[in-house]
Amino acid sequence: MLVRIAIILTLAIAVIQVTAIQQPRSIPNKYTDWRLPRWVLPRHYKLHLLPFIEEGNFTGQVDILLECMEPTQMIVLHMVDIMIDQDDGLQTNNEFIESRTLQVGKYYKLSIRFVSQLNNKLNGFYRASYTENGIKKIYRIMYGTSSVKLYPCPLTFWHLSSRNSKWNRVELQQHTQFHAWTIRPSSGKHTEYARILGPRVLRFFENYFNISFPLPKLDMFAIPDFAGNRIAARSGKVLEYDKEKIDKAHQWFGNLVTMEFWDDLWLKEGFASYVAYVGLDVVEPSLQMGQQFTVRETQQVFQVDSLMSSHAMSMPVKKRNEINGLFDSIPYSKGPAVIRMFSGFIGQSKFQQGLTFYLNNKKYQSAVNDDLWKAMSNQSIEALELPSDITTIMNSWSLQTGYPIVTVRRNYDLQSAIVTQERFYLLGARNTSDFPLWWIPLTYTSNFNTTFQAWMMGTEDGIELELPSTATEWVIFNVDQIGYYRVNYDETNWKLIIQQLLKDHRAISGLSRSQLIDDSLNIARTGSVPYSIALELSSYLRSESDYAPWFSALTAFNYLDRMLYHTASKDKLREYLKWLILPAYEQIGFEERKSDSHLVIQNRNQMISWACRLGVSECVNNATFLYKMWMSQPENNNWVKSNYKRAVTCAAIANTGDEEWDFALERYLSTDLSSEKEMLLYALSCSNSPQALNTLLEWALDANSGIRRQDSPIVFSSVSANPLGSSMVFEFVLLHWDKMGAKGDLGTATRSVQQALERTRINLEWRKRRFSNCDETIRLLVSRSSAVQY
């Protein structure tokens, strides 16, 4: 029989019914719940697959060991687009079950043979291709939630042709072999960095968790289809940014212990992301990952979590099409940010002990939100003097949507302050019935030599604190932005901070300088701080050379540049930004040096990008010259340094014409590296030609254009990031909504659509209520800096 079944995302159900005289429960004609019943539970899977790549299908057999939890005559399975070839029925003790009620406590084996399709939709078990030496080659891969639901088991593969993959191997201690694989035979030598780093990271995590890796081997695969998969690099040259992306800890979070259901996705992805920073900071300290966490995770996810349409870290999934909507920055970035805060107030030692207890206690099982906090509470925490139990404290962060803004209003005569909390929204209009409160670990300082601590309880919206600062001294809360919250101050304290930054900015730590910029410019978007304060604070950047503060500043300025792009204020803003950035750009220079650290290279990348964007002639001339040289020798990759290729190519295309745009497109179509394709699509979207940008958007929906299906989201996000293309994307999506829906299930994008609409309302509100204050401040700052020569 032909059975159409779904994996969680598009649900239909196959029912295997056992006929019997005694019926313990009524049998419905159709099982309609999207989640499986718990009448029987799978305890072991044995799955065999035989792919026929040329025919685009595969056959398989699955043997499932089931334990009966309730008397039943019905077994329900999830599947999608599968034809049951043969149902071998149920067996117990080597006997087939023909007509009988399944008995509680007994084990049964269900055997099914089936045929299904190797699709090309980048989901489930699918086929993909790459070109090598002019020959198109096809391979198969499993990816996405579909593969998790179809094949949650060990796999045995048969194949019809000889293996083409190449690999590097290294012995890992005495019990584990480490393999780095590539799909392309010619790319085996390009996995050297991953081959060296991987075993070191694995050894670190074994020691960190005090839990050995349980298998005899570990395989890493470089897949051409995914730009996010960066373990292979051309000619063994790994980009500085890509070095940060090679490490993950899914062997412990996801494999050894996984979440019970998608509700707690952050238990897997949040911890894997957080400990990746911890591991790389120790194993590869030159990457300085600890200096990047705040700007890469906390500040980035603030933008999503500032929306009313955000969601909690742990959130019940009520409909099957809500699952894909969970795979956003909340589990991947808010998760690690909250974990970092928790580790900060409980202490690294107790945090590690708690993780080891949690992983051992739930080994080879699934876990929920409460399991983690109970495991952490099992540590001796009396000496920490926490204001409540860990579960109560941390549930306010994991079960509530959004995050707080802490407002500090000082009494300068009494050396005290009233500290209050409320949820931070970017949109001014708020639901007045929504007053969530958090248990907030407050840290504050007036000199960065001594840090003070206090708690704001989840039962109060304000407290009074004594401060270490005199009336003429500043105070800064949330030291190094360890806590997952923003901070606002009264105007006097903001001005004291500004005075210190202008006098000697290094008296304030780099991460706190980054926090002050990000907080002030984003709070100004809501009107709670005037732009005269936020932009005055940013003026100290003429003396700034560190990566993190500039990252925060340029991210915030990108929003202003987009908002003012189609107004008369655009040139004034860019004049001010040029005045700010020139000293840092001139200091760091355009040319890479052998002595450059990882963060210097990262900083130069963003400086080149913005200096060229703002029209600094030396930057534009260098970029266009190098790009022309590359065009004259397309196979010579030495003209444009790999680390700056994205910035240089973008600048060249933005400041030239059709010939340069066409060259980048040709390189996109001909390159076999996904990271190169991603870079070139971003560069193509830097064009100042509306026609070119519209063409790019149209090709993203055209299956015959040469733009890969998986690269379509890159096109839309990159064009949207171009101030010229932002409104074009919005109009294009409205015009082609039906066509875009045909490329995927729009039902899974409900939250993304809601967030896009909310951001539109936020922008309209900003233009209505904040534009004049921002414009006036920019004109005043430009007039002050008018004597500076560019």
Side-chain angles (χ1 to χ4, degrees), residues 276-333:
Y277 279 89
V278 175
L280 280 178
D281 228 10
V282 174
V283 174
E284 199 72 84
S286 64
L287 297 180
Q288 298 174 272
M289 295 301 293
Q291 293 297 308
Q292 301 185 65
F293 186 97
T294 293
V295 296
R296 292 286 180 84
E297 307 297 342
T298 304
Q299 292 178 10
Q300 295 300 296
V301 74
F302 272 169
Q303 296 301 313
V304 171
D305 218 17
S306 300
L307 304 176
M308 288 187 285
S309 52
S310 182
H311 64 91
M313 287 161 54
S314 288
M315 188 189 76
V317 179
K318 299 177 181 178
K319 299 178 181 178
R320 62 182 182 271
N321 63 6
E322 292 177 347
I323 292 177
N324 272 10
L326 296 176
F327 285 80
D328 60 8
S329 58
I330 296 300
Y332 287 88
S333 292

Side-chain angles (χ1 to χ4, degrees), residues 721-780:
N722 183 334
L724 175 64
S726 181
S727 58
M728 292 178 60
V729 170
F730 185 77
E731 294 170 1
F732 184 89
V733 169
L734 291 179
L735 185 63
H736 297 85
W737 184 256
D738 292 339
K739 189 174 182 180
M740 294 180 72
K743 291 176 74 74
D745 183 5
L746 286 176
T748 65
T750 302
R751 182 171 287 107
S752 296
V753 173
Q754 290 174 343
Q755 292 178 353
L757 293 174
E758 185 176 350
R759 287 190 176 98
T760 300
R761 291 196 297 271
I762 290 170
N763 292 343
L764 292 174
E765 177 95 352
W766 189 92
R767 288 189 176 97
K768 179 181 178 181
R769 301 183 183 276
R770 317 288 174 234
F771 171 79
S772 59
N773 177 242
C774 181
D775 179 62
E776 180 182 346
T777 303
I778 290 170
R779 292 179 183 277
L780 177 62

